[in-house]
Amino acid sequence: MDFLLDPDHCYPALLARDARFDGQWFVGVTSTGVYCRPICRVRTPRRENCRFFPSATLAEAARFRPCLKCRPELAPAARPWSTMDAAEVLAREAARWLDECAPEDASLPALAAHLGVSERHVRRVFTAVHGVAPLQYLQTRRLLLAKQLLTDTRLPVSEVALASGFASLRRFNAAFQEQYRLSPTALRKGGAKGGPRGSEDIAAGASGAAAETAELRLDLRPPLLGSELLRFLAARAVPGVEVVDVERLALSRSVRLVRPGQSDLLGWLSLRLSPDGVERPQVRLSLSPSLWPAIAALMPKLRRWLDLDADPQAIAAALGETLGPAAEGLRLPGSLDRFELAIRAVLGQQVTVAAARTLATRLIARFGEPLPDAAHAPPGVTHVFPAPPALAAATVDDIASLGMPARRAQALIDLARQWPALAFAQGRGTVEDAIAELAALPGLGPWTAHYMLMRGWSWPDAYLPGDVVLKQCLEQRAGQALRPKELIAAAAHFAPYRSYAVLQLWREAALKPRKGTTP
């Protein structure tokens, strides 16, 4: 299969440096052996010297090296959402698992076991869809992450190697030299001038100080309504776990990374968003020293949490003239921890946002885990959300005493006891399977199942059946009362981005006090 893209379509966008195509494809320049993003500011190469690839992995498989100017490792990912082709769904799930799994767990047998298919089948399907074998895809992701860490931080090269997923410094150096024809130390010397703020003062071997000062840059496709994203999260922020400052476009929170067979990794993160309307928006990220070794598994979660790989133009086009212009740049707030999101979704059933936040605050006070080294964490971040075993061991009376019905308390306990065996917890299966699995749990209805999928899976096309505010908004636009089937038909107009339509309708409703609640 030929994976090269048509230059008649790509070259004009390259000439215009069109940010809409950033991350959708990359251009390899045969005269230099370098591949770039469409937005690269260097002199545009001649058309006959350009080869257009749908992914960085394919560009590297063709022996092109990443540009040191536009830095392909920062490009937002392409996220096709079609689920019509089973092979594409399997290949995308395989890529997602390779992106998010811990480096020590990444192997072809483990991938095949996760997907429930043979190694031969996953290799064949993955290669047919992505153009490279799974382990070659993984190697590219590791090298690009290492390139970013070498450029943006002053972490020692040995720690960069381990954080990127390489078992030893020797293997890392060999892979880097073979793929990029450059040593890691040479890249660092020729990389960003001085690195992030304060990094020029960090001694090369002072890994703790380097980790505390390091700041990563996360790119995305413009525009970005960062203030709306943070406003949504601020309304639901639980004291002790997260602190959101909408005015300063800043967010800090605690993080729990689950590592099978090992103790959970606890830490914190802080980030700052670009102001609304900036031509090249980005996110600046700082982490606690404890989280840098797990950056390979954490980075995809961060991007999904903030919806940094969204395609604003495609979303606005799907929402149409009624919602599109006002919603352009809107992001779908996801989650860093599906268990936390699931528990908070149950807490929010049939109550207001403020009431759900109060319940979550009480839950943290009773069952939350103090954040290690909280003295060095951002102000206000003191606890980590409870792990599943903590709630699984609780009694109904323990949880109901926080101010909720016994049935809901039991639902929380049942959910914790079945975690992480649920397919939803691991991101496996189809959308329909996940909804059916969640809706079958005691105390969870269709609304909660769809909401958990919308934010826990970052599913862009969720419709929340029975949502009162959504019903009111759709009826107001239709100018008449709508029956359940008619509501579904009205919302179908916004497919395949109904989740964004839900966010925009909630946003509009928040400006006009109405009866009913939103989660």
Side-chain angles (χ1 to χ4, degrees):
M1 182 183 294
D2 185 5
F3 285 92
L4 286 177
L5 302 178
D6 185 353
D8 288 340
H9 293 97
C10 296
Y11 194 72
L14 180 65
L15 288 172
R17 294 183 173 86
D18 196 329
R20 292 178 299 173
F21 298 98
D22 189 18
Q24 306 285 5
W25 48 261
F26 299 83
V27 56
V29 184
T30 57
S31 58
T32 63
V34 169
Y35 74 95
C36 300
R37 299 159 67 179
I39 62 172
C40 191
R41 292 294 179 179
V42 300
R43 187 174 64 180
T44 305
R46 299 172 62 178
R47 174 174 166 146
E48 58 266 28
N49 292 334
C50 295
R51 303 292 182 270
F52 297 96
F53 300 92
S55 70
T57 305
L58 284 169
E60 297 207 1
R63 305 302 296 170
F64 288 95
R65 305 184 307 277
C67 176
L68 297 180
K69 296 290 186 181
C70 66
R71 301 182 59 191
E73 71 272 13
L74 299 180
R79 287 287 184 255
W81 292 110
S82 171
T83 58
M84 299 301 292
D85 188 288
E88 289 189 11
V89 173
L90 182 71
R92 286 207 306 272
E93 170 57 21
R96 186 202 64 78
W97 187 85
L98 289 172
D99 286 341
E100 296 187 11
C101 71
E104 61 270 18
D105 298 331
S107 68
L108 190 59
L111 174 60
H114 170 77
L115 297 173
V117 298
S118 68
E119 293 180 37
R120 181 176 178 273
H121 182 66
V122 70
R123 186 188 300 110
R124 178 179 61 81
V125 170
F126 194 99
T127 303
V129 173
H130 295 290
V132 295
L135 295 185
Q136 188 175 3
Y137 172 90
L138 181 63
Q139 181 83 331
T140 300
R141 302 304 301 167
R142 287 173 171 174
L143 286 171
L144 287 175
L145 174 61
K147 181 176 178 296
Q148 182 175 8
L149 294 177
L150 288 168
T151 305
D152 284 352
T153 78
R154 287 299 179 264
L155 292 171
V157 174
S158 59
E159 293 188 19
V160 169
L162 294 177
S164 302
F166 290 90
S168 69
L169 182 59
R170 181 183 62 81
R171 291 185 181 181
F172 171 58
N173 285 329
F176 210 91
Q177 182 72 48
E178 178 185 1
Q179 189 70 23
Y180 298 154
R181 299 184 284 284
L182 187 70
S183 70
T185 52
L187 173 68
R188 169 161 282 174
K189 291 177 182 177
K193 304 299 183 183
R197 182 182 60 198
S199 60
E200 63 272 17
D201 298 325
I202 301 170
S207 60
E212 287 179 5
T213 310
E215 185 180 62
L216 287 185
R217 164 184 154 193
L218 307 179
D219 280 7
L220 57 142
R221 297 180 190 91
L224 168 67
L225 285 179
S227 58
E228 289 300 326
L229 172 64
L230 293 188
R231 193 168 286 114
F232 182 95
L233 295 173
R236 294 153 181 81
V238 180
V241 171
E242 48 202 343
V243 177
V244 183
D245 188 333
V246 179
E247 294 298 323
R248 295 180 57 246
L249 293 172
L251 184 158
S252 300
R253 67 155 295 147
S254 60
V255 177
R256 177 190 298 276
L257 286 180
V258 178
R259 301 180 296 175
Q262 305 180 60
S263 59
D264 294 349
L265 203 57
L266 307 182
W268 54 264
L269 63 82
S270 291
L271 55 87
R272 293 179 289 110
L273 279 62
S274 297
D276 296 353
V278 171
E279 181 182 0
R280 292 281 184 266
Q282 58 185 223
V283 175
R284 292 287 182 171
L285 169 74
S286 300
L287 299 174
S288 63
S290 62
L291 294 180
W292 283 105
I295 187 62
L298 181 59
M299 184 71 79
K301 298 178 187 292
L302 288 167
R303 297 195 65 87
R304 190 177 65 241
W305 173 42
L306 301 176
D307 199 15
L308 300 185
D309 296 321
D311 186 341
Q313 281 74 25
I315 295 167
L319 299 189
E321 295 182 359
T322 54
L323 296 181
E328 190 171 354
L330 198 65
R331 304 288 160 155
L332 175 61
S335 68
L336 284 175
D337 185 337
R338 284 197 179 105
F339 178 71
E340 176 183 335
L341 187 280
I343 293 297
R344 292 174 65 166
V346 175
L347 291 174
Q349 290 183 139
Q350 300 177 331
V351 299
T352 64
V353 172
R357 180 180 178 180
T358 297
L359 290 174
T361 302
R362 294 171 183 170
L363 189 78
I364 297 299
R366 178 74 63 86
F367 300 100
E369 187 171 347
L371 182 66
D373 198 24
H376 294 92
V381 180
T382 59
H383 286 73
V384 183
F385 197 85
L391 296 184
T395 66
V396 172
D397 289 342
D398 287 338
I399 297 180
S401 65
L402 303 179
M404 70 189 75
R407 183 182 178 188
R408 190 165 304 157
Q410 185 63 60
L412 293 175
I413 294 172
D414 291 341
L415 185 61
R417 288 175 177 173
Q418 296 191 50
W419 205 273
L422 297 172
F424 168 79
Q426 302 176 37
R428 291 187 287 105
T430 65
V431 175
E432 293 76 14
D433 292 340
I435 290 175
E437 174 189 59
L438 292 171
L441 293 175
L444 271 68
W447 185 96
T448 306
H450 282 77
Y451 179 75
M452 289 164 64
L453 198 69
M454 171 178 148
R455 294 195 58 202
W457 258 18
S458 296
W459 184 247
D461 198 30
Y463 170 73
L464 306 183
D467 186 271
V468 176
V469 174
L470 185 59
K471 178 177 183 294
Q472 292 174 344
C473 290
L474 291 175
E475 287 180 339
Q476 183 180 19
R477 291 179 180 278
Q480 61 180 1
L482 299 175
R483 292 174 297 195
K485 289 185 178 180
E486 293 173 330
L487 285 169
I488 294 175
H493 173 72
F494 303 117
Y497 295 108
R498 284 179 289 183
S499 295
Y500 294 88
V502 170
L503 286 177
Q504 176 61 12
L505 291 171
W506 283 350
R507 178 184 168 198
E508 291 181 2
L511 301 177
K512 301 177 182 178
R514 297 172 180 267
K515 296 180 180 180
T517 62
T518 59

